[in-house]
Amino acid sequence: MEKYNFREIEEKWQKRWEEEEIYRAKFLSDKKKFYVLEMFPYTSAQIHMGHVRNYTIGDVISRFFMMNGFNVLHPIGYDAFGMPAENAAIKQKIHPKDWTYKNIETIRKQLKKLGISYCWEREVITCDSDYYRWNQYFFLQFYKKGLVYKKLSPANWCPSCKTVLANEQVVDGVCWRCGLEVEQKELSQWFVKITEYAEKLLDFSGIKNWPERVIIMQKNWIGKSYGTEVHFTIPELNKELIVFTTRPDTLFGATYVVLSPRHPMVQDILKKGRLKSEIEKFLLKVKGQGLTVEATIKMEKEGIYTGFDAINPVNNEKIPVWIGNYVLMEYGTGAIMAVPAHDQRDFEFAQKYKLPVKIVIKNPEWNGIPEKLEAAYEGEGKMINSGQFNGLSNREFMEVITEYLTEQGKGRKAICYSLRDWCISRQRYWGTPIPIIYCKNCGTVPVPEKNLPVTLPYNVNITGQGESPLKNLPEFFHCKCPQCGGDAERETDTMDTFMDSSWYFLRYASGDIKDKPFDKEEVNYWMPVDQYIGGIEHAILHLLYSRFFIKVLNDLGYVNFKEPFKNLLCQGMVIKDGAKMSKSKGNVVDPDDMIKTYGVDTLRLFILFAAPPELDLEWSEKGIEGTWRFINRVWNLNSNILSYESQGTDTGDINVERIINKTINSITEDITKDFHFNTAIAKMMEFVNNLSKSIEKKECSREKLVSVWQRFIKTLSPFTPHICEEMWELMGNKGSLVAEKWPEINEEYLIDENISIAVQINGKLRGRITIPAGCSEKDVVEMAVKEPSISRWLKDKTILKKIYIQNKILNLIIK
RNA sequence: GCCGGGAUGGCGGAAUGGCAGACGCAACGGACUUAAAAUCCGUUGGGAAGUAAUUCCCGUGAGGGUUCGACUCCCUCUCCCGGCACCA
C-alpha cells in the first residue's frame, strides 16, 4: 500500500489545474452562471487563518456549483491601498508601493498553495493605475450628477505632528505616535451624497438571502425616524431656530433648547458679544473632545447658557438657549428642544444645571401630579399643562400639534435619517488621487476624462507628520488649469479605500479590458454576485457603500441590476485560547506551517469541520490531527478498494447503496440549505466508518463497491480536491472532478424497511420499538402496548390520549 | 448607554417543537510490537440500584410560562462575545 504523500499529490494537481486552466471563467451568455466571491484580502504581509477559512468556504461552494452544471466565476484580487502601507513605510523605510507589491507576491503564492478554484486571469490590484483610474472616472461621473460635493468637516488633528489621524490612531484621546492630546480640526473635505439614497438603501427586496442581523444592522445605521420640525424664534437675533423632534407631543414641556457647538447660530451669538469669553472657553474645551467612540461614550454631558432666549411657538414661553457638547451637527438640524420631564437625558442635564422641569404627560399610575420627578417619564398618557389640548392622549396629540404647527407656519412633519454623507477625503498619500484642479480664475475644475489617470507619483517621502506628501511634490501639486491653461493646483486628498472595494467585483466580471471600467454586457451576465462570503466586521460600511455604488451605476445606466450581492454568508472569526488570533497576543497559527505538516487538504477539512461557518472557530492542534487521521483512512481505503475482490450478496449491495444515497442526500442538503459543512463532513466520516466495516465483511460485490466509492470521491472533492483528484485517477478515470456531475440520489434507497420509533408514557421516554415503514397509528399502538418495557407502565391504567408522529414518536397519556 | 448575537459533556460541536450529546478531540481499557510511535477494536453526561442483562432518577446559564411533548417558542434575570455615530 502506497503511503499518502500529500506534498507530491498537491503539487501535481495544482500544476495540472494551472496548465489546463480548468478554472478559467468563460463568458457563455446561454449558460446559467454562478458568481461566487470572497472579500478580497488587504495586502498586509501574509494571509492568516481567517483568510484560509473564508477562501475555503468559497471554494467548496464554487466547486459544488461547477459540479452542478453552472458556469462559475470565482475570482480573486488585492485590496492594495490604505494606511498600513504608509505605516510600514514609516517604520521599515520601504516605499508603500514596494511593500504592497512584495506582499502581493507572497499572498499570491500562499493562495495558490490553498488549491482554490480561482480564475487567476481576472486578478485585480486596486493600487494599479489601470484600476484606480476608474475610481477617478466614477468620481467624475458622480460629480457631473451632483452626487459629490465639498464641505467643512472635523477630523482628528494632532497639533504636534501637524497631521490628520484616523480614529484608530487616536488611543485614549492622544496621538499614537507622540502622545499629545488630539484636537478637532475643521477641514474642507469631499463627500458623496449617500443620504440621497437612504430610502433606496432601506429597500432590501432585491436581496435574496442575507443574514437577518446584517439587514437589521444596516437599517439601524440608516436610522429612519419620523418626527416634526418645530420653529422657535430668537427675537434678539431676529432668527428662527429649527429643531427636529420625534416627540412633538412634549412641546409644551420644553424648558430649554440646545445647539450643537458647530451650529451656525453659535457664530451669530458670538458676534453679539454677550458672555463671549465664557462661550469661547467652552467651545475650545469641546474642540479637544475626540471623535472616537470611546471618547463620546466616556464624555460627560456639558453645556453653557448663551444669554439668549427662544420663544416656544405654541405658548410663547421664553426658554433659554444653551450650547451642549452632546448635540450632533450631523443629525437632524443640529439643535434640539429639551423636555426634562419626558426624556431621561434631558432630565439629567436639567438636574446638573438646575433647569426647570415641566410635566405635560400624566402617567396613568400617578395619583395626581408629583411635585418632583425622580426620573423622566417616557411613557404614554393624557396631556396636561398643554393649554387647549389638555386631556388628549399624547398619541393623538402628536398628530394634532404637528397639524397645528403646520397651519401656523411654525413647523411641519419631517423624516430624519441618521445616515450621514460619505466622506471620501483622506489626507494621505497611498490612495487614489481625487481628480480635481483648483484654478485661481476658474475655481474648482474637474480633471477632463481624457487626462485620466491622475497618477500617484512614486517619488515621495513618507514621515507620518505634516501635510500630505503630495503637497510637497511640485511636479504633482502644481499644474495647468484644463480650462484656461493658467497656473493651478491639484487636489492632494486621496480617496477612501471603500471606494476601491465598492465596485472591484465588476472589474473581475469583465476580464481584461483597458478602455472602459468594465464590459457592460459581460457584467450584466455575471452580476449580481450569487454568493458573497466575508467577515461580519464588514456588515455595515463595505456592504452599504457597495449597495449604494451599484444603485448609482444603475441610475446612470451602467448596469441593469440594483443590488450587488444576492446572497451573503458572514463567517465567524478564527480564535485560539478564547481570543482572536493576533500578533500582539502571540496566538497566531501560521497556515504555511500547517500545510507543511499535514497538507492543505487536511487543513481545509479541519477548518470546515471544526464549526459551522457563521460561528467563531476555536483552533485546535489536536483537532487537526483528527482530520489528518480521517484523510489517511480515506487514502488507505482507496487502496483496499483497488485490490478488493468479492462476489458479495444482494443484501450487501443494497446495504451500501442505501448508505451512499443517504450520505450524499444529506450532504447535498447541508451544503445547499445553510452551508453547514461541519455536519456534511461528519456524515462522510460516518460513511467511511460504515463502509470500512462492510469491506471487512466482504458484504458487497466489487462492482458495487467501486461504483459507491467513486460517488463518494465526487462528494468529498469540493472539500479536499487534491487527494480526490488523485484517487479518481487511481480508480482509472480521466479528467478533473469539477467536470464531473454531482452524484444523483435514488429516492428508493433513502427509505428504510424498518424504522425505530420512541415510545413515551406521559412525555417520558420508556422504550423503543421497530416498526415496518408506513405502519398505521393503530398498528403502532398495538405493537407498543405489547412491548414489555411499555406494558409494565400500563398496568391498572387507562390510556387517555395517543399522539403519534409518523416514523418518529408515540406518546401515550395515561392515568 | 444603545443595537445585534450567544450560553448544550472534560473540549469543538449535533439536534430549531418529537429518542439531548451525531461526528471529532481528549481520557480509559484492549489488540499488534522486544519496546515505542503509528494503526485498529471497545468504553465514555452525572448519580443510584443490581452478580448481570438491565432499570430508575437528574441533566441543554437561572427562574417562570405555553404544550401531550421545549435545547428549540414566550416572559423575567445573570453572564459572555461582537458592533456603534449620546440619533433627540
Side-chain angles (χ1 to χ4, degrees):
Chain A
M1 193 189 293
E2 210 178 317
K3 208 174 155 251
Y4 170 48
N5 185 338
F6 61 82
R7 194 158 308 146
E8 215 167 80
I9 293 170
E10 287 169 9
E11 268 170 28
K12 167 182 167 184
W13 287 99
Q14 283 173 13
K15 195 165 156 245
R16 196 177 291 182
W17 293 336
E18 191 150 354
E19 280 166 4
E20 293 177 8
E21 295 188 339
I22 60 165
Y23 305 126
R24 183 172 206 149
K26 295 184 192 84
F27 174 33
L28 307 165
S29 56
D30 55 339
K31 216 175 155 198
K32 58 181 178 174
K33 61 91 186 183
F34 194 87
Y35 187 173
V36 52
L37 179 68
E38 297 111 45
M39 292 180 184
F40 62 172
Y42 176 71
T43 48
S44 52
Q46 290 199 345
I47 60 164
H48 52 73
M49 281 300 173
H51 292 115
V52 176
R53 189 178 195 197
N54 190 181
Y55 303 150
T56 304
I57 292 168
D59 197 41
V60 176
I61 296 170
S62 165
R63 290 174 186 273
F64 177 78
F65 276 90
M66 285 180 190
M67 294 177 83
N68 276 282
F70 287 82
N71 187 27
V72 171
L73 171 59
H74 188 203
I76 189 73
Y78 310 93
D79 186 13
F81 269 141
M83 209 170 48
E86 293 190 20
N87 293 340
I90 297 164
K91 274 195 204 134
Q92 305 166 32
K93 303 268 171 248
I94 174 170
H95 191 281
K97 184 172 181 179
D98 299 337
W99 182 80
T100 303
Y101 277 92
K102 198 187 85 196
N103 290 344
I104 288 175
E105 200 105 328
T106 312
I107 294 170
R108 190 186 287 126
K109 261 189 221 146
Q110 285 184 300
L111 289 174
K112 291 207 170 174
K113 270 200 238 160
L114 292 177
I116 314 265
S117 57
Y118 287 133
C119 173
W120 286 98
E121 289 74 24
R122 292 168 184 256
E123 218 181 37
V124 162
I125 299 173
T126 59
C127 67
D128 187 330
S129 65
D130 276 349
Y131 183 79
Y132 72 68
R133 68 176 294 172
W134 303 111
N135 284 343
Q136 296 171 340
Y137 171 85
F138 286 129
F139 177 92
L140 295 175
Q141 308 312 311
F142 285 26
Y143 186 83
K144 263 191 254 171
K145 276 277 156 187
L147 283 169
V148 289
Y149 67 101
K150 226 182 169 188
K151 73 169 177 190
L152 280 175
S153 173
N156 298 309
W157 176 260
C158 174
S160 130
C161 301
K162 303 219 178 318
T163 197
V164 173
L165 299 175
N167 279 346
E168 69 166 34
Q169 297 175 313
V170 181
V171 182
D172 296 322
V174 300
C175 172
W176 64 336
R177 296 197 62 211
C178 69
L180 211 75
E181 197 119 334
V182 171
E183 288 181 0
Q184 299 311 302
K185 191 179 181 184
E186 295 270 340
L187 295 174
S188 178
Q189 309 197 70
W190 287 97
F191 284 80
V192 179
K193 282 190 192 165
I194 191 172
T195 52
E196 215 159 88
Y197 280 72
E199 213 45 57
K200 284 184 176 173
L201 289 167
L202 278 172
D203 174 11
F204 289 86
S205 60
I207 272 165
K208 201 169 150 203
N209 190 14
W210 275 33
E212 198 51 40
R213 58 182 167 145
V214 174
I215 292 176
I216 293 168
M217 278 156 109
Q218 290 209 354
K219 279 185 181 167
N220 289 344
W221 187 264
I222 295 166
K224 184 179 188 175
S225 55
Y226 298 87
T228 305
E229 265 179 27
V230 185
H231 302 190
F232 286 75
T233 45
I234 304 182
E236 286 175 290
L237 290 173
N238 197 19
K239 291 227 166 181
E240 267 198 337
L241 175 68
I242 301 174
V243 306
F244 173 78
T245 177
T246 52
R247 291 294 305 271
D249 52 324
T250 64
L251 181 52
F252 279 86
T255 54
Y256 57 100
V257 291
V258 191
L259 305 176
S260 161
R262 298 179 50 237
H263 196 285
M265 204 171 275
V266 172
Q267 293 312 311
D268 298 326
I269 289 167
L270 284 174
K271 266 185 217 144
K272 291 277 178 185
R274 198 181 295 171
L275 300 174
K276 193 174 177 201
S277 62
E278 285 90 338
I279 296 172
E280 278 177 339
K281 217 171 114 194
F282 176 77
L283 293 175
L284 205 67
K285 185 177 175 188
V286 166
K287 207 178 162 190
Q289 293 171 335
L291 287 175
T292 59
V293 185
E294 312 110 86
T296 46
I297 288 166
K298 282 183 201 151
M299 185 177 80
E300 204 181 324
K301 272 183 227 169
E302 286 181 292
I304 188 163
Y305 176 52
T306 59
F308 290 84
D309 294 317
I311 305 295
N312 187 334
V314 286
N315 55 11
N316 292 319
E317 234 169 64
K318 234 193 201 180
I319 56 174
V321 177
W322 283 63
I323 299 171
N325 63 349
Y326 64 103
V327 178
L328 300 177
M329 193 57 220
E330 287 76 17
Y331 186 75
T333 62
I336 60 160
M337 64 177 209
V339 187
H342 304 290
D343 182 297
Q344 188 57 27
R345 285 165 310 159
D346 294 344
F347 184 80
E348 283 161 22
F349 192 84
Q351 296 272 303
K352 180 169 175 179
Y353 292 102
K354 310 255 180 306
L355 289 156
V357 176
K358 186 180 163 196
I359 300 169
V360 291
I361 296 168
K362 186 179 175 290
N363 184 341
E365 286 169 19
W366 286 341
N367 271 326
I369 309 301
E371 277 291 304
K372 202 168 174 276
L373 285 177
E374 293 300 318
Y377 173 63
E378 293 180 334
E380 315 270 314
K382 294 251 193 276
M383 301 311 304
I384 53 170
N385 290 328
S386 297
Q388 68 270 41
F389 305 107
N390 284 342
L392 287 176
S393 83
N394 72 304
R395 286 257 148 224
E396 259 180 287
F397 182 52
M398 281 193 199
E399 300 293 325
V400 172
I401 189 69
T402 305
E403 243 168 72
Y404 174 84
L405 287 166
T406 311
E407 277 164 25
Q408 304 286 313
K410 290 287 180 189
R412 62 193 173 99
K413 252 191 196 162
I415 290 169
C416 248
Y417 300 93
S418 45
L419 183 68
R420 294 183 207 159
D421 276 339
W422 174 14
C423 177
I424 56 159
S425 276
R426 296 291 181 270
Q427 296 70 34
R428 299 189 180 280
Y429 164 69
W430 194 233
T432 306
I434 293 177
I436 288 287
I437 288 167
Y438 300 106
C439 168
K440 280 180 205 96
N441 302 317
C442 313
T444 302
V445 182
V447 173
E449 273 171 39
K450 64 175 172 17
N451 294 350
L452 295 183
V454 176
T455 312
L456 193 62
Y458 181 79
N459 178 29
V460 289
N461 183 26
I462 309 234
T463 60
Q465 292 179 324
E467 288 182 305
S468 165
L470 296 175
K471 272 219 166 99
N472 303 320
L473 211 65
E475 66 266 37
F476 178 85
F477 186 54
H478 296 296
C479 64
K480 297 292 173 200
C481 171
Q483 272 176 24
C484 69
D487 286 346
E489 292 172 350
R490 247 180 231 292
E491 170 67 66
T492 57
D493 280 358
T494 52
M495 292 183 202
D496 177 12
T497 56
F498 277 122
M499 193 86 174
D500 308 333
S501 56
S502 288
W503 70 281
Y504 72 107
F505 39 87
L506 304 181
R507 188 78 183 163
Y508 284 149
S510 44
D512 195 23
I513 191 157
K514 292 262 182 265
D515 56 336
K516 285 181 288 184
F518 51 79
D519 181 272
K520 197 171 169 179
E521 203 191 340
E522 193 169 351
V523 160
N524 282 337
Y525 166 69
W526 290 112
M527 286 293 291
V529 171
D530 295 279
Q531 186 63 56
Y532 199 28
I533 308 144
I536 186 76
E537 67 271 21
H538 295 295
I540 299 175
L541 294 178
H542 162 55
L543 293 172
L544 195 69
Y545 291 145
S546 300
R547 290 182 63 222
F548 163 68
F549 216 95
I550 293 309
K551 284 173 197 300
V552 175
L553 293 189
N554 178 265
D555 283 349
L556 297 179
Y558 283 88
V559 297
N560 69 0
F561 46 89
K562 291 184 176 173
E563 289 287 351
F565 315 120
K566 206 152 110 189
N567 300 297
L568 174 69
L569 175 61
C570 287
Q571 99 264 6
M573 296 183 296
V574 179
I575 57 176
K576 191 169 178 260
D577 311 320
K580 191 176 172 173
M581 281 189 189
S582 73
K583 271 187 202 148
S584 59
K585 290 199 187 78
N587 62 350
V588 177
V589 178
D590 183 5
D592 283 346
D593 290 347
M594 291 299 117
I595 293 172
K596 264 183 214 138
T597 317
Y598 300 105
V600 72
D601 279 337
T602 297
L603 175 62
R604 291 168 53 122
L605 197 70
F606 170 68
I607 245 177
L608 294 165
F609 177 60
E614 70 277 8
L615 251 58
D616 285 351
L617 187 154
E618 173 76 31
W619 182 262
S620 153
E621 210 67 42
K622 291 288 181 189
I624 194 167
E625 274 175 35
T627 45
W628 163 251
R629 279 198 280 269
F630 172 71
I631 294 272
N632 277 280
R633 265 204 296 276
V634 169
W635 178 256
N636 295 336
L637 209 52
N638 192 68
S639 307
N640 290 343
I641 290 165
L642 283 169
S643 59
Y644 180 87
E645 287 303 337
S646 169
Q647 292 299 309
T649 60
D650 284 355
T651 42
D653 280 8
I654 290 169
N655 184 35
V656 289
E657 192 64 47
R658 277 225 173 91
I659 303 173
I660 190 70
N661 273 282
K662 281 187 193 169
T663 303
I664 294 170
N665 185 52
S666 78
I667 288 168
T668 309
E669 237 170 60
D670 286 340
I671 296 175
T672 51
K673 209 179 85 202
D674 43 18
F675 305 119
H676 277 191
F677 307 121
N678 56 331
T679 52
I681 293 165
K683 279 155 202 163
M684 286 191 259
M685 289 174 167
E686 245 170 306
F687 169 81
V688 166
N689 292 343
N690 287 328
L691 195 72
S692 301
K693 279 178 198 145
S694 181
I695 288 173
E696 215 163 282
K697 289 188 227 150
K698 298 207 174 250
E699 270 179 358
C700 63
S701 63
R702 175 179 171 83
E703 201 190 357
K704 180 55 76 180
L705 182 61
V706 167
S707 147
V708 164
W709 184 246
Q710 295 206 7
R711 276 176 275 166
F712 173 73
I713 293 175
K714 287 185 192 175
T715 318
L716 180 62
S717 70
F719 301 82
T720 59
H722 309 83
I723 187 177
C724 288
E725 295 271 34
E726 184 66 19
M727 292 189 299
W728 185 245
E729 196 176 70
L730 287 171
M731 294 301 291
N733 300 291
K734 293 240 177 309
S736 171
L737 280 161
V738 290
E740 292 294 321
K741 227 184 143 334
W742 186 255
E744 268 170 35
I745 307 299
N746 188 338
E747 300 273 340
E748 77 183 80
Y749 290 109
L750 297 181
I751 304 149
D752 282 312
E753 284 165 347
N754 294 309
I755 297 152
S756 165
I757 67 156
V759 183
Q760 298 181 330
I761 306 283
N762 289 344
K764 261 193 168 75
L765 180 71
R766 294 300 181 192
R768 274 162 242 254
I769 55 170
T770 304
I771 59 159
C775 215
S776 74
E777 179 177 338
K778 196 171 148 254
D779 293 342
V780 174
V781 174
E782 227 162 80
M783 278 182 273
V785 296
K786 276 189 210 142
E787 190 70 20
S789 62
I790 301 302
S791 58
R792 63 197 192 94
W793 292 92
L794 299 175
K795 230 182 221 165
D796 307 322
K797 306 274 183 183
T798 32
I799 296 175
L800 297 179
K801 199 171 169 185
K802 301 162 214 155
I803 295 135
Y804 176 59
I805 308 297
Q806 181 131 50
N807 298 344
K808 275 188 180 161
I809 204 162
L810 172 72
N811 190 4
L812 301 172
I813 309 304
I814 61 165
K815 209 188 161 183

